[in-house]
Amino acid sequence: MALKTGLNTSFFNKSSTATNSAGGGQISSVRVKKIILDDTSDSELFKRYGEWSSIGLILYEDASNPLPSDDPRYLENFAYPLFPNIKHYPLINELVYVIKLPSPDIQNNTNNLTTYYFPPINNWNSIHHNALPDPLSTSTETPSEQKSYQQVEAGSRVKTTNGVNDINLGETFNEQSNIRNLQPYEGDIIFEGRWGQSIRFGSTVTGSNNTWSSTGPNSKPITIIRNGQYNNNQEPWIPIVEDINQDSGSIYLTTTQQIGLNPSSQKYDSYSTQPTSINQYNNSQIIINSGRLVFNSSQDHILLSSKKSVGLNAVESINIDTPKTIVQSNKIYLGDKEDTNTQPLLLGQDTVDLLGQILDNLSTIVNDLSLLVGVPPGSPFGKLNADSSVAAINLKSAKIQLNTLLSKTSRTK
Protein backbone atom coordinates (compact mmCIF):
# COMPACT_ATOMS: atom_id res chain seq x y z
CA MET A 1 0.00 0.00 0.00
CA ALA A 2 1.42 3.38 -1.03
CA LEU A 3 2.39 5.61 1.85
CA LYS A 4 0.79 8.99 1.30
CA THR A 5 1.34 11.05 4.43
CA GLY A 6 2.73 10.85 7.93
CA LEU A 7 6.16 9.96 9.27
CA ASN A 8 7.70 7.14 11.21
CA THR A 9 8.91 8.99 14.30
CA SER A 10 11.50 6.47 15.48
CA PHE A 11 14.40 8.66 14.47
CA PHE A 12 13.09 11.74 16.24
CA ASN A 13 12.20 9.80 19.37
CA LYS A 14 15.82 8.66 19.59
CA SER A 15 17.49 11.94 18.74
CA SER A 16 18.38 14.76 21.07
CA THR A 17 16.03 17.05 19.13
CA ALA A 18 12.97 14.87 19.53
CA THR A 19 9.68 16.72 19.42
CA ASN A 20 6.46 15.82 21.07
CA SER A 21 3.31 15.18 19.11
CA ALA A 22 1.57 18.34 20.25
CA GLY A 23 2.55 20.49 17.29
CA GLY A 24 6.24 20.00 16.48
CA GLY A 25 8.27 23.02 15.42
CA GLN A 26 11.77 21.99 16.51
CA ILE A 27 14.37 21.48 13.81
CA SER A 28 17.22 19.01 13.30
CA SER A 29 20.08 18.76 10.81
CA VAL A 30 20.08 15.62 8.66
CA ARG A 31 22.06 14.23 5.73
CA VAL A 32 20.28 13.41 2.49
CA LYS A 33 20.58 9.77 1.49
CA LYS A 34 18.17 9.69 -1.45
CA ILE A 35 15.77 12.03 -3.23
CA ILE A 36 12.82 11.19 -5.47
CA LEU A 37 12.73 13.35 -8.60
CA ASP A 38 10.94 11.13 -11.13
CA ASP A 39 9.17 7.80 -11.53
CA THR A 40 12.03 5.85 -13.14
CA SER A 41 15.25 6.43 -11.17
CA ASP A 42 14.00 4.31 -8.28
CA SER A 43 10.52 3.03 -9.12
CA GLU A 44 10.18 1.12 -5.83
CA LEU A 45 10.72 4.23 -3.72
CA PHE A 46 8.47 6.20 -6.06
CA LYS A 47 5.61 3.78 -5.44
CA ARG A 48 6.37 3.34 -1.71
CA TYR A 49 6.13 7.06 -0.86
CA GLY A 50 3.07 8.10 -2.83
CA GLU A 51 4.05 8.11 -6.53
CA TRP A 52 3.74 11.63 -8.01
CA SER A 53 3.00 13.18 -4.63
CA SER A 54 6.46 12.01 -3.55
CA ILE A 55 8.40 14.24 -5.99
CA GLY A 56 11.05 16.10 -3.98
CA LEU A 57 10.78 13.74 -1.00
CA ILE A 58 14.12 12.94 0.65
CA LEU A 59 15.30 10.00 2.75
CA TYR A 60 17.80 11.02 5.38
CA GLU A 61 19.97 10.06 8.33
CA ASP A 62 21.01 11.89 11.46
CA ALA A 63 23.94 14.13 10.49
CA SER A 64 25.72 13.41 13.78
CA ASN A 65 24.95 9.69 13.80
CA PRO A 66 25.33 8.36 10.23
CA LEU A 67 24.07 4.95 9.19
CA PRO A 68 25.93 2.39 7.08
CA SER A 69 25.04 2.66 3.38
CA ASP A 70 23.19 -0.68 3.44
CA ASP A 71 21.26 0.07 6.64
CA PRO A 72 17.52 0.08 5.82
CA ARG A 73 16.61 2.23 8.81
CA TYR A 74 16.95 5.43 6.84
CA LEU A 75 13.89 4.33 4.83
CA GLU A 76 11.86 5.22 7.92
CA ASN A 77 13.04 8.82 7.84
CA PHE A 78 11.61 10.94 5.03
CA ALA A 79 10.67 14.55 4.55
CA TYR A 80 8.86 16.70 2.01
CA PRO A 81 9.93 20.11 0.61
CA LEU A 82 8.73 22.89 2.89
CA PHE A 83 8.17 25.54 0.20
CA PRO A 84 5.61 24.79 -2.53
CA ASN A 85 6.59 27.42 -5.11
CA ILE A 86 10.39 27.51 -4.85
CA LYS A 87 12.07 24.25 -5.79
CA HIS A 88 15.55 24.00 -4.27
CA TYR A 89 16.16 20.29 -4.09
CA PRO A 90 19.27 19.04 -2.27
CA LEU A 91 21.91 16.67 -3.60
CA ILE A 92 22.87 13.37 -2.03
CA ASN A 93 25.09 13.99 1.03
CA GLU A 94 24.04 17.60 1.45
CA LEU A 95 22.74 18.61 4.87
CA VAL A 96 19.29 20.09 5.37
CA TYR A 97 17.24 21.16 8.34
CA VAL A 98 14.01 19.25 8.89
CA ILE A 99 11.03 20.38 10.91
CA LYS A 100 7.90 18.60 12.07
CA LEU A 101 4.67 20.43 11.26
CA PRO A 102 0.99 19.49 11.16
CA SER A 103 0.22 16.88 8.50
CA PRO A 104 -2.47 17.22 5.82
CA ASP A 105 -4.90 15.13 7.89
CA ILE A 106 -4.74 17.55 10.84
CA GLN A 107 -8.51 17.94 10.72
CA ASN A 108 -8.88 14.27 11.63
CA ASN A 109 -6.10 14.17 14.20
CA THR A 110 -4.42 17.32 15.48
CA ASN A 111 -1.47 15.28 16.78
CA ASN A 112 -0.40 13.96 13.38
CA LEU A 113 2.80 15.54 12.13
CA THR A 114 4.66 15.48 8.82
CA THR A 115 8.36 16.23 8.40
CA TYR A 116 9.43 18.93 5.95
CA TYR A 117 12.89 20.10 4.96
CA PHE A 118 14.49 23.46 4.27
CA PRO A 119 16.94 24.11 1.37
CA PRO A 120 20.51 22.75 1.77
CA ILE A 121 22.74 24.11 4.51
CA ASN A 122 25.52 26.34 3.17
CA ASN A 123 28.44 24.32 4.55
CA TRP A 124 31.02 25.33 1.95
CA ASN A 125 29.49 28.66 0.92
CA SER A 126 29.35 27.23 -2.60
CA ILE A 127 26.63 27.58 -5.21
CA HIS A 128 27.75 24.29 -6.81
CA HIS A 129 27.21 21.89 -3.93
CA ASN A 130 27.51 21.76 -0.15
CA ALA A 131 27.78 18.04 0.40
CA LEU A 132 29.20 16.83 3.69
CA PRO A 133 29.56 13.06 3.29
CA ASP A 134 29.57 10.83 6.32
CA PRO A 135 32.91 9.15 7.13
CA LEU A 136 31.34 5.67 7.02
CA SER A 137 30.80 5.67 3.25
CA THR A 138 32.95 8.37 1.60
CA SER A 139 36.59 9.25 1.28
CA THR A 140 38.22 11.80 -0.99
CA GLU A 141 41.16 11.46 -3.32
CA THR A 142 43.62 13.63 -1.42
CA PRO A 143 44.47 13.85 2.29
CA SER A 144 43.93 17.60 2.21
CA GLU A 145 40.39 17.17 0.92
CA GLN A 146 39.72 14.39 3.42
CA LYS A 147 40.91 16.65 6.19
CA SER A 148 38.77 19.59 5.13
CA TYR A 149 35.60 17.51 5.05
CA GLN A 150 36.32 16.18 8.54
CA GLN A 151 37.08 19.62 9.88
CA VAL A 152 34.15 21.50 8.37
CA GLU A 153 32.09 21.35 11.56
CA ALA A 154 34.99 22.99 13.36
CA GLY A 155 34.78 25.98 11.01
CA SER A 156 37.18 25.03 8.21
CA ARG A 157 36.15 25.97 4.69
CA VAL A 158 36.62 23.56 1.82
CA LYS A 159 38.84 24.66 -1.06
CA THR A 160 38.09 22.46 -4.03
CA THR A 161 41.06 21.31 -6.06
CA ASN A 162 41.10 20.66 -9.79
CA GLY A 163 40.64 16.97 -9.12
CA VAL A 164 37.18 15.54 -8.71
CA ASN A 165 36.61 13.53 -5.58
CA ASP A 166 34.40 10.50 -5.13
CA ILE A 167 31.60 12.09 -3.13
CA ASN A 168 28.25 10.63 -4.10
CA LEU A 169 26.11 13.57 -5.21
CA GLY A 170 23.50 11.67 -7.20
CA GLU A 171 23.03 9.74 -10.42
CA THR A 172 23.86 12.49 -12.97
CA PHE A 173 25.41 15.34 -10.97
CA ASN A 174 29.12 15.59 -11.83
CA GLU A 175 31.14 17.85 -9.57
CA GLN A 176 33.03 20.64 -11.36
CA SER A 177 35.82 22.53 -9.68
CA ASN A 178 35.49 25.73 -11.75
CA ILE A 179 31.95 26.77 -10.74
CA ARG A 180 32.29 29.94 -8.70
CA ASN A 181 30.07 32.20 -6.63
CA LEU A 182 29.19 35.66 -7.89
CA GLN A 183 30.87 38.65 -6.26
CA PRO A 184 28.17 40.48 -4.27
CA TYR A 185 27.91 44.24 -3.80
CA GLU A 186 25.99 46.34 -1.29
CA GLY A 187 22.25 45.94 -1.66
CA ASP A 188 22.41 43.09 -4.17
CA ILE A 189 19.79 40.35 -4.31
CA ILE A 190 21.28 37.40 -6.18
CA PHE A 191 19.81 34.06 -7.24
CA GLU A 192 22.38 31.49 -8.37
CA GLY A 193 22.05 28.01 -9.85
CA ARG A 194 24.53 25.19 -9.39
CA TRP A 195 26.12 25.52 -12.85
CA GLY A 196 26.93 29.22 -13.19
CA GLN A 197 23.43 30.50 -13.93
CA SER A 198 22.40 33.62 -12.07
CA ILE A 199 20.03 36.55 -11.75
CA ARG A 200 21.44 39.67 -10.10
CA PHE A 201 19.27 42.55 -8.93
CA GLY A 202 22.12 45.01 -8.47
CA SER A 203 23.12 48.63 -8.89
CA THR A 204 25.95 50.91 -9.91
CA VAL A 205 28.82 50.64 -7.43
CA THR A 206 31.40 53.34 -8.09
CA GLY A 207 34.99 52.14 -7.82
CA SER A 208 34.11 48.43 -7.95
CA ASN A 209 35.68 45.80 -10.15
CA ASN A 210 32.51 45.01 -12.07
CA THR A 211 31.88 45.79 -15.74
CA TRP A 212 28.86 48.11 -15.40
CA SER A 213 29.80 50.80 -12.88
CA SER A 214 32.05 53.09 -14.93
CA THR A 215 29.28 55.65 -15.50
CA GLY A 216 26.34 57.06 -13.57
CA PRO A 217 25.73 57.62 -9.87
CA ASN A 218 25.66 54.92 -7.20
CA SER A 219 22.48 52.93 -6.53
CA LYS A 220 21.09 53.08 -10.07
CA PRO A 221 19.43 49.70 -10.70
CA ILE A 222 20.66 47.02 -13.07
CA THR A 223 19.35 43.50 -13.64
CA ILE A 224 21.65 40.84 -15.08
CA ILE A 225 20.49 37.38 -16.17
CA ARG A 226 23.37 35.06 -17.01
CA ASN A 227 23.52 31.45 -18.18
CA GLY A 228 26.95 29.87 -17.78
CA GLN A 229 30.01 31.63 -16.40
CA TYR A 230 33.36 31.99 -18.09
CA ASN A 231 36.61 30.66 -16.62
CA ASN A 232 39.16 33.33 -15.68
CA ASN A 233 41.66 30.75 -14.37
CA GLN A 234 41.60 32.08 -10.81
CA GLU A 235 41.18 29.89 -7.74
CA PRO A 236 37.66 28.44 -7.68
CA TRP A 237 36.81 29.85 -4.26
CA ILE A 238 37.42 33.46 -5.41
CA PRO A 239 34.10 35.04 -6.48
CA ILE A 240 33.57 36.03 -10.09
CA VAL A 241 31.81 38.97 -11.78
CA GLU A 242 29.62 38.71 -14.87
CA ASP A 243 31.25 39.51 -18.22
CA ILE A 244 28.87 40.02 -21.13
CA ASN A 245 31.59 39.25 -23.66
CA GLN A 246 32.65 35.93 -22.10
CA ASP A 247 29.60 34.43 -20.37
CA SER A 248 27.63 31.90 -22.43
CA GLY A 249 24.48 34.01 -22.60
CA SER A 250 23.35 37.25 -20.96
CA ILE A 251 20.47 39.68 -20.67
CA TYR A 252 21.29 43.12 -19.22
CA LEU A 253 18.58 45.61 -18.19
CA THR A 254 20.21 48.95 -17.43
CA THR A 255 19.38 52.49 -16.34
CA THR A 256 22.52 54.67 -16.48
CA GLN A 257 25.15 51.94 -16.88
CA GLN A 258 27.52 51.70 -19.82
CA ILE A 259 27.96 48.07 -20.93
CA GLY A 260 31.19 47.27 -22.77
CA LEU A 261 29.73 44.78 -25.23
CA ASN A 262 31.96 43.96 -28.19
CA PRO A 263 29.40 43.68 -31.03
CA SER A 264 29.96 41.23 -33.86
CA SER A 265 29.23 44.01 -36.35
CA GLN A 266 28.83 47.74 -35.83
CA LYS A 267 28.59 49.41 -39.22
CA TYR A 268 26.27 52.39 -39.56
CA ASP A 269 27.12 53.73 -43.04
CA SER A 270 23.43 53.88 -43.97
CA TYR A 271 22.85 56.56 -41.32
CA SER A 272 23.24 60.26 -41.97
CA THR A 273 23.68 60.68 -38.20
CA GLN A 274 25.01 57.47 -36.68
CA PRO A 275 23.49 56.16 -33.42
CA THR A 276 25.58 56.03 -30.25
CA SER A 277 27.72 52.89 -30.31
CA ILE A 278 26.55 49.98 -28.19
CA ASN A 279 29.41 50.13 -25.71
CA GLN A 280 29.13 53.91 -25.24
CA TYR A 281 25.39 54.24 -24.59
CA ASN A 282 24.56 54.93 -20.93
CA ASN A 283 20.79 55.29 -20.73
CA SER A 284 18.13 52.66 -20.13
CA GLN A 285 18.45 49.76 -22.54
CA ILE A 286 18.16 45.98 -22.76
CA ILE A 287 21.04 43.99 -24.22
CA ILE A 288 20.77 40.32 -25.18
CA ASN A 289 24.00 38.53 -26.06
CA SER A 290 24.66 34.87 -26.84
CA GLY A 291 26.22 32.58 -29.42
CA ARG A 292 22.89 32.47 -31.26
CA LEU A 293 19.55 34.27 -30.88
CA VAL A 294 16.23 32.81 -32.01
CA PHE A 295 12.99 34.80 -31.96
CA ASN A 296 10.05 32.61 -32.91
CA SER A 297 6.34 33.35 -32.91
CA SER A 298 4.24 30.17 -33.13
CA GLN A 299 0.81 31.82 -33.40
CA ASP A 300 1.06 35.54 -34.05
CA HIS A 301 3.42 38.34 -35.09
CA ILE A 302 6.93 39.43 -34.19
CA LEU A 303 6.62 43.21 -33.96
CA LEU A 304 9.61 45.56 -33.84
CA SER A 305 8.94 49.18 -33.02
CA SER A 306 11.33 52.07 -32.48
CA LYS A 307 10.99 55.82 -32.01
CA LYS A 308 14.05 56.46 -34.21
CA SER A 309 15.21 53.52 -36.32
CA VAL A 310 15.58 49.76 -36.46
CA GLY A 311 19.15 48.95 -37.47
CA LEU A 312 20.10 45.57 -38.89
CA ASN A 313 23.79 44.76 -38.87
CA ALA A 314 25.56 41.56 -39.92
CA VAL A 315 29.10 40.53 -40.84
CA GLU A 316 28.05 38.34 -43.78
CA SER A 317 24.50 39.01 -44.99
CA ILE A 318 20.89 39.79 -44.11
CA ASN A 319 18.63 37.15 -45.62
CA ILE A 320 14.85 37.27 -45.99
CA ASP A 321 13.00 34.10 -47.01
CA THR A 322 9.24 34.46 -47.23
CA PRO A 323 6.43 33.82 -49.73
CA LYS A 324 5.64 37.53 -49.80
CA THR A 325 7.56 40.67 -48.83
CA ILE A 326 5.69 43.92 -48.27
CA VAL A 327 7.43 47.25 -47.63
CA GLN A 328 5.26 50.31 -47.08
CA SER A 329 7.19 53.56 -46.76
CA ASN A 330 7.14 57.14 -47.96
CA LYS A 331 10.79 56.91 -49.00
CA ILE A 332 12.88 53.84 -49.79
CA TYR A 333 16.60 54.19 -50.51
CA LEU A 334 18.57 51.28 -51.95
CA GLY A 335 22.35 51.18 -52.04
CA ASP A 336 23.04 54.37 -50.09
CA LYS A 337 21.59 56.84 -47.63
CA GLU A 338 19.16 59.64 -48.33
CA ASP A 339 21.55 62.60 -48.64
CA THR A 340 23.60 61.15 -51.53
CA ASN A 341 23.03 61.50 -55.27
CA THR A 342 20.46 58.73 -55.56
CA GLN A 343 18.13 58.24 -58.54
CA PRO A 344 14.46 57.24 -58.55
CA LEU A 345 13.47 53.76 -59.74
CA LEU A 346 11.11 53.18 -62.70
CA LEU A 347 7.60 51.82 -62.35
CA GLY A 348 7.96 48.44 -64.01
CA GLN A 349 4.54 47.83 -65.60
CA ASP A 350 4.07 51.43 -66.74
CA THR A 351 7.53 51.37 -68.27
CA VAL A 352 6.74 48.18 -70.15
CA ASP A 353 3.42 49.58 -71.41
CA LEU A 354 4.98 52.82 -72.62
CA LEU A 355 7.92 51.17 -74.33
CA GLY A 356 5.47 48.72 -75.92
CA GLN A 357 3.49 51.62 -77.36
CA ILE A 358 6.67 53.14 -78.80
CA LEU A 359 7.66 49.84 -80.38
CA ASP A 360 4.18 49.43 -81.88
CA ASN A 361 4.44 52.85 -83.55
CA LEU A 362 7.93 52.16 -84.84
CA SER A 363 6.76 48.77 -86.15
CA THR A 364 3.93 50.44 -88.09
CA ILE A 365 6.35 52.86 -89.73
CA VAL A 366 8.81 50.11 -90.57
CA ASN A 367 6.04 47.96 -92.08
CA ASP A 368 4.84 50.87 -94.19
CA LEU A 369 8.32 51.63 -95.40
CA SER A 370 8.84 48.02 -96.36
CA LEU A 371 5.82 48.19 -98.74
CA LEU A 372 6.49 51.69 -100.09
CA VAL A 373 6.20 52.15 -103.94
CA GLY A 374 6.41 55.59 -105.61
CA VAL A 375 3.92 56.04 -108.55
CA PRO A 376 4.75 57.97 -110.57
CA PRO A 377 8.41 58.35 -109.53
CA GLY A 378 8.89 61.40 -107.33
CA SER A 379 5.26 61.61 -106.20
CA PRO A 380 4.53 61.96 -102.43
CA PHE A 381 4.04 58.83 -100.26
CA GLY A 382 0.54 59.49 -98.97
CA LYS A 383 0.15 56.57 -96.54
CA LEU A 384 3.68 57.06 -95.17
CA ASN A 385 2.96 60.68 -94.54
CA ALA A 386 -0.24 59.88 -92.67
CA ASP A 387 1.28 57.15 -90.50
CA SER A 388 4.36 59.21 -89.79
CA SER A 389 2.21 62.09 -88.57
CA VAL A 390 0.37 59.79 -86.14
CA ALA A 391 3.65 58.20 -84.97
CA ALA A 392 5.20 61.59 -84.38
CA ILE A 393 2.34 62.60 -82.12
CA ASN A 394 2.50 59.32 -80.17
CA LEU A 395 6.30 59.47 -79.74
CA LYS A 396 6.08 63.03 -78.44
CA SER A 397 3.43 61.95 -75.93
CA ALA A 398 5.51 58.94 -74.90
CA LYS A 399 8.53 61.14 -74.21
CA ILE A 400 6.41 63.31 -71.94
CA GLN A 401 5.16 60.22 -70.09
CA LEU A 402 8.70 58.97 -69.41
CA ASN A 403 9.01 61.34 -66.45
CA THR A 404 5.92 59.79 -64.83
CA LEU A 405 7.65 56.37 -64.73
CA LEU A 406 10.05 57.49 -62.00
CA SER A 407 9.26 55.95 -58.56
CA LYS A 408 8.20 58.46 -55.97
CA THR A 409 9.34 56.26 -53.04
CA SER A 410 12.26 54.00 -54.05
CA ARG A 411 15.66 55.37 -54.99
CA THR A 412 18.93 53.62 -55.76
CA LYS A 413 22.47 54.35 -56.77
Side-chain angles (χ1 to χ4, degrees):
M1 180 177 177
L3 183 60
K4 298 293 184 181
T5 59
L7 174 69
N8 185 305
T9 58
S10 59
F11 166 71
F12 277 96
N13 291 335
K14 296 176 182 178
S15 70
S16 59
T17 57
T19 62
N20 57 42
S21 59
Q26 295 185 2
I27 62 175
S28 300
S29 61
V30 300
R31 178 178 291 106
V32 178
K33 300 289 287 185
K34 285 185 179 294
I35 181 169
I36 300 175
L37 297 174
D38 54 49
D39 60 335
T40 58
S41 298
D42 196 322
S43 58
E44 292 186 5
L45 291 180
F46 176 78
K47 293 177 180 178
R48 174 186 176 93
Y49 292 102
E51 298 182 344
W52 292 111
S53 64
S54 70
I55 297 300
L57 178 145
I58 63 168
L59 303 175
Y60 59 83
E61 65 182 3
D62 184 354
S64 60
N65 186 24
L67 298 172
S69 59
D70 57 350
D71 194 315
R73 283 180 293 172
Y74 74 86
L75 294 173
E76 301 174 359
N77 306 321
F78 59 91
Y80 295 92
L82 179 61
F83 304 115
N85 300 107
I86 300 175
K87 310 301 184 184
H88 188 175
Y89 296 133
L91 297 171
I92 306 300
N93 281 311
E94 286 191 317
L95 301 187
V96 299
Y97 280 116
V98 293
I99 185 171
K100 299 177 74 174
L101 297 171
S103 68
D105 62 347
I106 187 175
Q107 291 179 331
N108 297 324
N109 187 340
T110 57
N111 291 326
N112 284 348
L113 301 177
T114 297
T115 303
Y116 298 91
Y117 67 86
F118 292 89
I121 299 174
N122 190 24
N123 284 307
W124 308 121
N125 194 25
S126 169
I127 61 169
H128 189 47
H129 79 78
N130 286 277
L132 185 63
D134 68 79
L136 296 180
S137 60
T138 306
S139 62
T140 55
E141 290 184 349
T142 65
S144 61
E145 286 180 328
Q146 178 70 34
K147 180 178 179 181
S148 64
Y149 281 117
Q150 292 174 341
Q151 292 178 340
V152 66
E153 291 183 349
S156 297
R157 179 179 174 183
V158 69
K159 294 184 177 181
T160 309
T161 66
N162 290 330
V164 177
N165 55 44
D166 60 355
I167 304 172
N168 177 21
L169 299 171
E171 295 294 328
T172 62
F173 191 98
N174 296 319
E175 183 179 12
Q176 297 182 14
S177 62
N178 60 347
I179 302 298
R180 302 164 58 198
N181 297 2
L182 274 182
Q183 171 67 54
Y185 299 97
E186 288 184 357
D188 283 356
I189 297 177
I190 301 174
F191 298 92
E192 296 184 72
R194 295 185 186 269
W195 306 105
Q197 316 99 313
S198 62
I199 301 176
R200 181 197 295 268
F201 298 98
S203 66
T204 300
V205 184
T206 303
S208 63
N209 63 337
N210 63 49
T211 60
W212 60 85
S213 294
S214 61
T215 61
N218 282 330
S219 302
K220 288 296 182 179
I222 184 171
T223 301
I224 301 174
I225 303 174
R226 176 200 61 166
N227 184 55
Q229 65 183 217
Y230 70 99
N231 186 5
N232 64 359
N233 297 318
Q234 290 189 354
E235 298 292 353
W237 54 84
I238 299 177
I240 198 170
V241 176
E242 300 95 330
D243 188 317
I244 194 170
N245 294 304
Q246 300 188 72
D247 292 329
S248 297
S250 305
I251 300 177
Y252 282 59
L253 295 86
T254 73
T255 50
T256 61
Q257 295 82 11
Q258 186 172 294
I259 307 302
L261 174 67
N262 297 327
S264 299
S265 177
Q266 191 171 214
K267 186 178 181 181
Y268 302 122
D269 293 345
S270 62
Y271 285 83
S272 300
T273 302
Q274 295 190 0
T276 304
S277 62
I278 294 174
N279 53 20
Q280 294 297 315
Y281 192 78
N282 59 2
N283 287 312
S284 61
Q285 62 178 330
I286 298 176
I287 300 176
I288 303 175
N289 183 59
S290 186
R292 177 172 172 170
L293 300 179
V294 177
F295 296 91
N296 178 68
S297 174
S298 62
Q299 297 183 9
D300 210 291
H301 312 281
I302 293 178
L303 303 175
L304 301 178
S305 177
S306 173
K307 187 174 182 178
K308 289 188 176 180
S309 70
V310 176
L312 300 178
N313 219 298
V315 175
E316 295 184 0
S317 66
I318 295 175
N319 298 15
I320 300 176
D321 297 286
T322 178
K324 181 169 60 177
T325 301
I326 300 173
V327 179
Q328 193 284 322
S329 178
N330 294 330
K331 293 288 184 180
I332 299 174
Y333 293 86
L334 304 175
D336 215 331
K337 49 183 173 284
E338 179 179 359
D339 59 359
T340 58
N341 187 24
T342 57
Q343 301 181 31
L345 301 177
L346 296 178
L347 299 177
Q349 188 60 54
D350 289 349
T351 302
V352 170
D353 292 343
L354 181 58
L355 291 178
Q357 181 183 349
I358 295 172
L359 292 174
D360 288 343
N361 280 274
L362 291 175
S363 296
T364 300
I365 295 173
V366 171
N367 290 333
D368 290 346
L369 289 174
S370 67
L371 301 174
L372 184 62
V373 177
V375 180
S379 62
F381 301 108
K383 182 173 176 51
L384 177 60
N385 290 338
D387 290 342
S388 297
S389 297
V390 173
I393 295 173
N394 290 338
L395 290 172
K396 184 177 181 180
S397 175
K399 185 175 181 180
I400 294 173
Q401 293 181 57
L402 283 176
N403 288 327
T404 67
L405 300 180
L406 299 176
S407 173
K408 295 178 175 60
T409 59
S410 300
R411 304 183 71 85
T412 188
K413 183 177 181 180

